[in-house]
Amino acid sequence: MADRLPKQSEDFPGWYVEVVKRAELAEHGPARGSMIIRPYGFAIWENIQRALDDRFKATGHENFYFPLLIPMHLLAAEAQHVEGFKLQAAVVTQGGGETLDEPLVIRPTSEAVIWPTYARWIQSYRDLPLLYNQWCNVLRWEMRTRLFLRTSEFLWQEGHTAHATREEAWDEALRMLEVYREVAEDVLGIPVIPGRKSESERFPGADETLPIEAMMRDAKALQCGTSHFLGQNFAKAYDVKFLNPEGRQEYAWGTSWGFTTRMIGGTIMAHGDDKGLRLPPAIAPIQVVIVPIYRSDEERSAVLDVAGKLRDDLAGNGVRAKLDDRDQHRPGYKFGEWELKGVPVRVELGPRDVEAGQVVLVDRVTGDKRSVSLAEATSGMAGTLDEVQLALFEDARAYRDENTHQIDDFDSFAAGVEEKGGFWVGPWCGSPECEEKVSAATKASLRVLPLEREDPRGPCIVCGKPGTERAIWARAY
Ligand SMILES: [Zn+2]
């Protein structure tokens, strides 16, 4: 390996940049703000996609596809929506060598092209609900970019549903929030807090925005997915009406929800250590790497024979296994490379192991080594991977708990955020002015409010008026 990675504790941003580069996940594209996702990074995304898509299908959704370009007048129809995306929109004004009659917006999100279409698809209550999702790229102009976390163009899924009643739409928004929580925790191994955003942090055009929030290993927060309850806002803007069972016209109720390639960055920052990535087995492109150890040609052929069979047996059991049989690199080099790339389990196999019918397993999370029989290496691998998956989750949860603090008073809160980051929990009166004061004084934002209002347990930390909510504050990406 080249130089050592920067230490997380000394230079977390530098560590992140180097890990993304050296693990061959992504690099900057030629246009400012753009990103080239390399095969190893894209394989992680494909596994995230599959985990989400299976759950979307299981909850009754279908996929469709809408166009990249949106005529400007459509985006302008929902006042808050156009205002919210005005500064982030890229606009095409020329085509075929001529100035266009109407500029076309490159989608920053697709409500403005989907809801006018829903107006044609929805006539009666019998047409509802519409439960659809699309996988696509979107573009939001960014000058301060960081690979995966903040790029102009990114990949995501956007769900768009329409319902006959408020209750159904609200239940849908909650259902998809729960799907996101499950994927974040059970698949990515990242503990999250589901809840509500304050009004100032809402999606433009939504009545309620429901996020899942996580803590990264530098004690900063990352929003990991959002589900929006749109009320009837988009239905009114695009005239989406239906005839209810009583024969009256009503506006449809809507939701939208999105999960993006940002979560590759989230996974890197929630689990990585000074040696590089630590990937959760559920999304690791390679779950087990087998590194053969030999000196002579004779040893080589005996070891590779057994190693190849082990790889095939693991693959037959549904484990994503790779045999690293490159001759040009020594085992020590390979160990470092696969640790950097976050492969959950390494199998070491040398001539003596072959004689004894055993292998050495090394777990990327704890670094523990143990010898097991070849048969056990195959039959027990799924269980070992489950243990690694759980260990990563528990590790991240312990870190979050250590870095979550109760707010006693405003000054110690402000000093604490500055000194050690973390989540800070305390009573808030609900006023945007107090929220703004906290942000201005601490650079922390209101990350999440509990789904069900809790007893605030005291007066607002800013103004001292009676609290109405318990809010979680943090500095965030
Ligand atoms: Zn207040």
Side-chain angles (χ1 to χ4, degrees), residues 427-431 433-435 460-466:
W428 173 52
C429 67
S431 94
E433 290 76 25
C434 288
E435 186 183 359
C460 174
I461 55 160
V462 186
C463 66
K465 287 181 192 153

Side-chain angles (χ1 to χ4, degrees), residues 104 170 204 346 451:
L104 300 169
W170 179 246
R346 178 170 84 228
L451 267 184

